[in-house]
């Protein structure tokens, strides 16, 4: 009777896993019966052995097909390798998102905050986490801006880099409804105004527009591109000190960097200013 019940499950269950388990039970029970034939009357042994062998052969053939997936029509895969997952497709990572929100929390009126670094292998979802932060924000009064060194490429100089950074921040904030003045492209290429000063003035405009109690999380994806720019001599080697000074002076500003390596693995000559104050979060499968 147990063998028949298991065979009925194999025939009718919609679950491949359930069918496989039932099939294993049926084969095991038949083999146990076959092993105990010596206890049966001699007359029944030959017939029983023939029946058991026949059914074991049938179940063995079935076992070779149970669990195979038959695809009857093309399947739509919403996940495309290399593209960030957005909206309702993004699931999980609640622990990392909560940690980032806690680290970046501040009333914007005092106290310093740690910079944050996300690192991990490609396709682990670092960029998806950044886009999810943009979509969900940190709090109603928070603002976020996302820049990617992969999109920027190798800048020719610091002025170009800060120009692109400021333009990206300006565009993200305007899309979020912040009433900023029109972006001043010329300010970053003025002979009289150093580009770092132009960027600091731009940040003061941002602060005035978002309000005294609001804060900004500035996210830089693929941040290894910054080191490549510094190694190439396009950007000054002390640029990371400039970033550190910004988050120390502008208490309403937080910086999050994301990339393949953690700061300790990268060149300490470049990253030591951030390494000493950064909270590192690993993104794994």
């Amino acid at each position: 009777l147990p063998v028949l019940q298991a065979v009925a499950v194999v025939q009718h269950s919609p679950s491949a896993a359930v069918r496989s388990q039932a099939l294993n039970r049926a084969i095991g029970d038949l083999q146990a019966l076959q092993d105990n034939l010596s206890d049966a009357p001699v007359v029944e042994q030959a017939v029983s052995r023939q029946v058991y062998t026949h059914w074991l052969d049938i179940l063995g053939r079935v076992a070779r097909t149970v669990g195979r997936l038959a695809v009857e029509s093309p399947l739509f895969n919403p996940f495309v390798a290399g593209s960030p997952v957005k909206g309702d497709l993004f699931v999980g990572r609640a622990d990392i998102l909560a940690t980032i929100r806690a680290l970046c929390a501040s009333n914007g009126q005092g106290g310093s905050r740690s910079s944050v670094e996300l690192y991990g292998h490609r396709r682990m979802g670092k960029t998806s986490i950044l886009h999810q932060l943009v979509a969900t924000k940190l709090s109603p009064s928070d603002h976020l801006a996302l820049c990617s060194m992969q999109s920027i490429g190798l800048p020719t100089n610091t002025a170009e880099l800060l120009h692109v950074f400021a333009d990206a921040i300006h565009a993200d904030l305007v899309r979020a409804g912040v009433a900023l003045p029109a972006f001043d492209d010329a300010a970053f290429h003025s002979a009289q105004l150093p580009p770092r000063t132009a960027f600091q003035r731009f940040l003061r405009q941002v602060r005035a527009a978002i309000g005294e109690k609001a804060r900004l999380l500035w996210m830089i994806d693929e941040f290894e591109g910054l080191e490549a720019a510094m190694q190439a001599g396009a950007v000054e080697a002390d640029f990371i000190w400039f970033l550190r000074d910004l988050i120390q002076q502008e208490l309403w500003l937080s910086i999050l960097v994301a990339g393949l390596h953690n700061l300790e693995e990268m060149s300490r000559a470049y990253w030591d200013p951030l390494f000493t104050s950064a909270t590192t979060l690993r993104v794994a499968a």
Side-chain angles (χ1 to χ4, degrees):
L1 183 60
V3 174
L4 293 177
Q5 291 174 335
V7 169
V9 172
V10 174
Q11 288 179 309
H12 302 294
S13 175
S15 169
V18 171
R19 292 199 305 273
S20 179
Q21 293 171 359
L23 186 60
N24 288 334
R25 289 197 305 272
I27 292 174
D29 290 343
L30 278 173
Q31 288 175 334
L33 289 171
Q34 192 176 48
D35 293 341
N36 294 325
L37 276 177
S38 58
D39 298 332
V42 177
V43 177
E44 296 179 5
Q45 288 184 20
V47 175
S48 297
R49 183 172 289 106
Q50 184 178 5
V51 172
Y52 297 158
T53 301
H54 176 69
W55 276 100
L56 283 171
D57 180 62
I58 293 174
L59 295 178
R61 291 198 300 270
V62 174
R64 289 192 289 270
T65 62
V66 168
R68 289 182 182 174
L69 178 63
V71 180
E72 298 177 354
S73 61
L75 299 177
F76 170 69
N77 180 8
F79 301 101
V80 180
S83 298
V85 178
K86 301 178 183 179
D88 294 338
L89 294 178
F90 184 94
V91 294
R93 305 299 190 188
D95 53 340
I96 292 180
L97 293 171
T99 301
I100 293 173
R101 291 188 175 100
L103 290 170
C104 296
S106 169
N107 60 11
Q109 297 180 356
S112 60
R113 298 182 306 281
S114 171
S115 50
V116 181
E117 180 212 357
L118 292 182
Y119 80 98
H121 294 297
R122 294 193 183 279
R123 311 290 185 257
M124 289 295 102
K126 300 182 296 297
T127 302
S128 297
I129 291 172
L130 302 186
H131 281 280
Q132 184 67 8
L133 285 168
V134 172
T136 58
K137 303 185 69 172
L138 302 177
S139 76
S141 62
D142 292 327
H143 299 278
L144 299 96
L146 175 57
C147 307
S148 174
M149 289 301 300
Q150 188 174 45
S151 300
I152 295 171
L154 186 66
T156 57
N157 51 50
T158 301
E160 180 184 334
L161 177 64
L162 289 175
H163 182 185
V164 175
F165 276 159
D167 187 40
I169 294 171
H170 185 277
D172 278 355
L173 293 180
V174 169
R175 277 193 292 268
V178 177
L180 278 167
F183 187 71
D184 185 4
D185 292 281
F188 289 88
H189 304 280
S190 169
Q192 289 76 35
L193 188 66
R196 296 187 185 190
T197 303
F199 191 78
Q200 289 171 314
R201 289 185 179 180
F202 165 74
L203 288 180
R204 287 198 290 271
Q205 288 184 334
V206 170
R207 181 68 189 279
I210 66 176
E212 290 294 319
K213 294 184 178 181
R215 61 187 183 273
L216 172 68
L217 176 59
W218 175 22
M219 300 180 289
I220 305 174
D221 199 7
E222 304 284 352
F223 73 93
E224 289 92 347
L226 279 176
E227 182 168 322
M230 289 184 288
Q231 288 177 337
V235 174
E236 293 90 342
D238 67 345
F239 185 79
I240 301 303
W241 284 100
F242 173 65
L243 293 183
R244 184 182 180 183
D245 287 344
L246 282 180
I247 58 177
Q248 288 181 337
Q249 296 171 16
E250 307 293 343
L251 300 179
W252 56 279
L253 176 67
S254 296
I255 294 180
L256 183 156
V257 296
L260 295 176
H261 308 285
N262 63 36
L263 297 176
E264 187 174 13
E265 294 172 339
M266 299 177 69
S267 173
R268 292 292 293 270
Y270 294 118
W271 296 100
D272 193 65
L274 278 183
F275 173 74
T276 55
S277 64
T279 298
T280 299
L281 301 176
R282 181 171 179 262
V283 181

